[in-house]
Amino acid sequence: ETGVTQTPRHLVMGMTNKKSLKCEQHLGHNAMYWYKQSAKKPLELMFVYSLEERVENNSVPSRFSPECPNSSHLFLHLHTLQPEDSALYLCASSQERGGTEAFFGQGTRLTVV
Amino acid sequence: GENVEQHPSTLSVQEGDSAVIKCTYSDSASNYFPWYKQELGKRPQLIIDIRSNVGEKKDQRIAVTLNKTAKHFSLHITETQPEDSAVYFCAASSSGNQFYFGTGTSLTVIP
């Protein structure tokens, strides 16, 4: 257990649904990240939060909406997704943004039908 | 921004042989280089990291070397075992910046 917990582990949703992914860390880290991992593709950075402020958004479609209410929690709100959005969504945290070890959650396997 | 390239994308070795995975980076400001191992269906986990003030670091069968001048770093696994089979990712970052990951290497250790 690395201290980063993601829920749910698996999610199947229709293209018209709205769902949220949750990430929680109690490591005292100041930076949190959302990554998308598709088959045979590298880890794609989606969002970075540092001290609860979004500092990076890698041109992610607006159907993905992040929320960081405090330094321990990170959400990814999903709406009107497309089948190509099916992937493993990984949350990570690190003490500071960059320069220190990133700890990953186990991921949410998302399937859009 | 930073660009990290990783080779090879797939690697098969016989059990007991060594495996080497290489990465290059472009931004000379990068000073932290972690390596992650991701087993099938599991999260990426750090196996070793190196900072730019060090040229080599070793932890049992795993070692990482860094050449700052050439901007490349490598992962070396000796005496490979079947449980070393996984996808390995390199990354480069610096304080205040994001992690830039390589495309991954799928390592298969053949018993």
Side-chain angles (χ1 to χ4, degrees), chain A:
Chain A
E1 184 58 52
T2 65
V4 181
T5 304
Q6 286 185 245
T7 53
R9 294 288 308 278
H10 301 273
L11 178 63
V12 179
M13 59 185 290
M15 289 189 283
T16 58
N17 291 159
K18 289 185 180 180
K19 297 286 184 183
S20 295
L21 310 184
K22 180 181 177 182
C23 177
E24 187 171 355
Q25 60 91 6
H26 295 287
L27 301 170
H29 289 172
N30 293 320
M32 295 187 78
Y33 314 78
W34 279 117
Y35 287 91
K36 176 183 178 182
Q37 188 175 36
S38 305
K40 300 182 180 180
K41 285 189 175 181
L43 288 161
E44 300 174 58
L45 179 68
M46 299 176 73
F47 301 103
V48 181
Y49 277 82
S50 178
L51 296 171
E52 303 160 41
E53 289 191 22
R54 188 193 305 181
V55 294
E56 198 142 357
N57 171 359
N58 271 17
S59 302
V60 179
S62 59
R63 56 186 184 269
F64 296 92
S65 174
E67 178 189 4
C68 188
N70 55 61
S71 59
S72 299
H73 295 86
L74 184 66
F75 294 89
L76 187 63
H77 303 299
L78 317 171
H79 65 96
T80 60
L81 295 192
Q82 304 298 312
E84 59 264 30
D85 296 323
S86 299
L88 180 68
Y89 288 84
L90 289 162
C91 172
S93 71
S94 60
Q95 184 60 50
E96 305 296 340
R97 181 161 66 102
T100 59
E101 179 183 356
F103 292 80
F104 285 85
Q106 290 188 308
T108 295
R109 174 67 63 185
L110 173 68
T111 303
V112 181
V113 297

Side-chain angles (χ1 to χ4, degrees), chain A residues 2 37 45 97 99 102 106, chain B residues 36 38 43 51 93 96 98-99:
Chain A
T2 65
Q37 188 175 36
L45 179 68
R97 181 161 66 102
Q106 290 188 308
Chain B
Y36 287 84
Q38 187 176 25
R43 73 185 85 197
R51 296 191 180 276
S93 79
Q98 63 158 303
F99 291 91

